Amino acid sequence: ALVANKPKATADKVTRKDILKQLAIEEGQTYISSFDRPNLSLSVLPGRKRIQQIQDFILTQKNNSGIIYCLSRKATESVSESLRKAGFKAECYHAGRDAATRSRVQEAFIKDDIQKELMQAKLDRMKQYAEADICRRRILLSYFNEDVEQDCGNCDVCKNPRSKFNATVLAQKALSAIARTKEKVAMGALIDVLRGSRNQNTLKHQYDKLPTFGVGRDVRGEEWADYISQFLNSGIIDIAYDEAHVLKLNAASWQVLKGERQVEIAKFISLNERKAREEELVPKEKPKQQIIKDALFERLRQLRKSLADSLNIAPYLIFTDATLSEMAQTRPISEAQMKAVSGIGSEKFRRFGDVFMKEIITFAKENTATGTRVAKGFTYVQTYELYKDGLGIDEIAEQRQLNPTTIVSHL
């Protein structure tokens, strides 16, 4: 019998090396396939009003489920609690929870018919990724040491590209400095060498004697930091996380050094200009009517699901999403109003009209404040319900703070 041990993982070069070491098979053969997932669209937004941004995004994913990754256990618990208070089904999952709870949460998630490809990677380069100005898919593939020269065209950077320039000469200067320092410097020290900084570290290692010392003094330090980050993200430089983050050369690096490969990167943008652009991306608060519509749509969708389950039929056979959306927009509370909604005829109204109108009326009661109107004609319904409770016209007028003549017109 042939027994094959084939551990599998989504891992970068450092992690792959560590896996082999932990398994005591450091000379073992590794087989690497592509990490590219063209069906995934990648975007980064400024971290302002985070919970509101998360809620807004979830509302665009009706009937879907997903995972929100957080940087700490505390953040995991805080985010899930905030989402639950906002009416979403959310649970936190981290190593600090007991095994039974983790198992329950995982089972609940799986039962929600989740079949997605989820990326789990180290977060060491999160800041670089968030601030990147090149194709985000190329950044991810570069992290896993996969060389891709073409942009994906499907991430926020590709859809809104910054102007680029040919940075081959700059890249050659940086790569040459890495080579001449024998791949033993991290980004900060590399910038010092390129700009010719005679500090204690460069003098100690005699980097000031190198031919590349000071070849990039015409470029500001913050610009070099931006450009080197882009070189990293584009895959022409590697970073050794297990060696104090020193920079390393790879096959693509030598192609650039030999003039066999051109390098294009985005032009440098100052911090102030970047912040101004981020401000433009901060989501604007939704109008009150839109908030009401979204909340009512979800109520109606839950009602539809409950009815469908009880009748053992598909939800769309009751009302389609388009019909529910229009219902949430117009908020009908009478037969005439309900039948004016697209997709609701006499038969649909006979079977389901009353129960949906009652739900809309209940929602209106919960959300109508002085000076607001959630549903057209709701004020008549309020008057009529008081009348059915046995109150006289004057009593209704006093309770509703309206003129008795208005109450008569309502009735």
Side-chain angles (χ1 to χ4, degrees), residues 165-181:
F165 71 102
N166 190 309
T168 305
V169 173
L170 288 174
Q172 288 171 333
K173 290 179 178 179
L175 295 171
S176 178
I178 294 172
R180 292 182 184 278
T181 54

Side-chain angles (χ1 to χ4, degrees), residues 29-71:
Q29 183 67 46
T30 58
Y31 298 89
I32 304 171
S33 60
S34 176
F35 181 70
D36 193 13
R37 301 293 185 269
N39 58 306
L40 299 183
S41 181
L42 312 169
S43 298
V44 170
L45 294 173
R48 303 199 180 109
K49 299 182 179 179
R50 294 174 182 173
I51 298 299
Q52 186 59 54
Q53 286 195 59
I54 292 171
Q55 292 179 17
D56 291 343
F57 176 75
I58 293 174
L59 289 173
T60 68
Q61 303 296 314
K62 301 291 185 183
N63 303 318
N64 289 329
S65 299
I67 295 178
I68 300 168
Y69 286 95
C70 302
L71 293 177

Side-chain angles (χ1 to χ4, degrees), residues 62-63 289-290 292-308 314-332 337-338 340-344 348 352-353 355-357 359-360 363:
K62 301 291 185 183
N63 303 318
Q289 287 300 314
Q290 182 63 42
I292 291 173
K293 178 187 174 183
D294 292 344
L296 180 55
F297 177 86
E298 184 60 26
R299 285 274 287 269
L300 297 177
R301 193 180 71 82
Q302 292 295 334
L303 173 60
R304 180 184 65 176
K305 184 179 186 304
S306 177
L307 287 172
Y316 74 87
L317 293 176
I318 296 176
F319 291 128
T320 64
D321 278 357
T323 297
L324 287 189
S325 180
E326 186 177 340
M327 204 183 293
Q329 176 71 39
T330 59
R331 299 182 280 280
Q337 290 177 343
M338 185 66 82
V341 175
S342 177
I344 302 180
K348 282 285 181 77
F352 308 114
V355 67
F356 277 86
M357 284 195 301
E359 188 67 26
I360 294 170
F363 178 86

Side-chain angles (χ1 to χ4, degrees), residues 168-227:
T168 305
V169 173
L170 288 174
Q172 288 171 333
K173 290 179 178 179
L175 295 171
S176 178
I178 294 172
R180 292 182 184 278
T181 54
K182 299 180 180 179
E183 301 177 290
K184 293 182 179 179
V185 295
M187 185 187 294
L190 176 63
I191 294 173
D192 287 341
V193 172
L194 290 168
R195 286 187 43 77
S197 301
R198 294 183 178 275
N199 56 35
Q200 184 177 356
N201 184 61
T202 56
L203 296 176
K204 175 184 176 182
H205 293 93
Q206 297 188 333
Y207 292 152
D208 58 320
K209 309 296 185 186
L210 298 175
T212 48
F213 186 74
V215 295
R217 57 169 49 92
D218 56 324
V219 179
R220 291 179 298 169
E222 60 178 337
E223 291 183 56
W224 267 122
D226 180 60
Y227 295 154

Side-chain angles (χ1 to χ4, degrees), residues 88-354:
F88 297 103
K89 290 165 59 180
E91 288 275 7
C92 64
Y93 184 100
H94 58 66
R97 306 197 77 180
D98 62 83
T101 301
R102 291 203 308 273
S103 178
R104 176 185 62 78
V105 172
Q106 184 172 323
E107 283 298 316
F109 185 74
I110 293 172
K111 288 179 180 177
D112 215 6
D113 298 323
I114 306 306
Q115 293 185 6
K116 298 174 185 266
E117 295 182 73
L118 299 169
M119 299 173 292
Q120 287 185 304
K122 291 179 181 178
L123 301 178
D124 293 342
R125 285 169 63 186
M126 176 179 286
K127 185 172 184 293
Q128 291 176 4
Y129 182 81
E131 296 179 348
D133 294 302
I134 70 169
C135 172
R136 299 200 190 279
R137 193 182 313 283
R138 287 179 61 188
I139 299 172
L140 285 177
L141 296 177
S142 169
Y143 179 82
F144 290 96
N145 308 106
E146 186 171 340
D147 186 21
V148 177
E149 295 187 36
Q150 296 298 318
D151 292 346
C152 72
N154 193 34
C155 67
D156 58 329
V157 176
C158 288
K159 292 175 182 177
N160 302 281
R162 267 171 53 189
S163 57
K164 296 184 177 182
F165 71 102
N166 190 309
T168 305
V169 173
L170 288 174
Q172 288 171 333
K173 290 179 178 179
L175 295 171
S176 178
I178 294 172
R180 292 182 184 278
T181 54
K182 299 180 180 179
E183 301 177 290
K184 293 182 179 179
V185 295
M187 185 187 294
L190 176 63
I191 294 173
D192 287 341
V193 172
L194 290 168
R195 286 187 43 77
S197 301
R198 294 183 178 275
N199 56 35
Q200 184 177 356
N201 184 61
T202 56
L203 296 176
K204 175 184 176 182
H205 293 93
Q206 297 188 333
Y207 292 152
D208 58 320
K209 309 296 185 186
L210 298 175
T212 48
F213 186 74
V215 295
R217 57 169 49 92
D218 56 324
V219 179
R220 291 179 298 169
E222 60 178 337
E223 291 183 56
W224 267 122
D226 180 60
Y227 295 154
I228 294 171
S229 292
Q230 293 192 60
F231 296 153
L232 276 165
N233 290 334
S234 63
I236 64 170
I237 298 177
D238 284 344
I239 185 167
Y241 297 107
D242 57 342
E243 297 179 35
H245 293 73
V246 299
L247 303 177
K248 301 283 188 179
L249 302 180
N250 55 35
S253 308
W254 291 107
Q255 289 177 350
V256 175
L257 281 169
K258 294 176 181 178
E260 299 171 354
R261 177 169 175 167
Q262 296 293 299
V263 179
E264 282 202 347
I265 58 176
K267 292 182 178 179
F268 174 74
I269 292 180
S270 67
L271 180 61
N272 289 338
E273 187 177 353
R274 189 183 293 272
K275 284 184 176 180
R277 292 191 177 192
E278 288 181 355
E279 289 290 345
E280 296 177 1
L281 294 175
V282 174
K284 304 298 186 293
E285 290 188 5
K286 288 184 178 181
K288 186 172 183 178
Q289 287 300 314
Q290 182 63 42
I291 294 173
I292 291 173
K293 178 187 174 183
D294 292 344
L296 180 55
F297 177 86
E298 184 60 26
R299 285 274 287 269
L300 297 177
R301 193 180 71 82
Q302 292 295 334
L303 173 60
R304 180 184 65 176
K305 184 179 186 304
S306 177
L307 287 172
D309 289 346
S310 66
L311 296 172
N312 197 27
I313 61 175
Y316 74 87
L317 293 176
I318 296 176
F319 291 128
T320 64
D321 278 357
T323 297
L324 287 189
S325 180
E326 186 177 340
M327 204 183 293
Q329 176 71 39
T330 59
R331 299 182 280 280
I333 56 173
S334 69
E335 180 176 352
Q337 290 177 343
M338 185 66 82
K339 286 184 176 179
V341 175
S342 177
I344 302 180
S346 297
E347 180 60 19
K348 282 285 181 77
F349 178 80
R350 183 188 68 79
R351 297 184 65 190
F352 308 114
D354 282 342

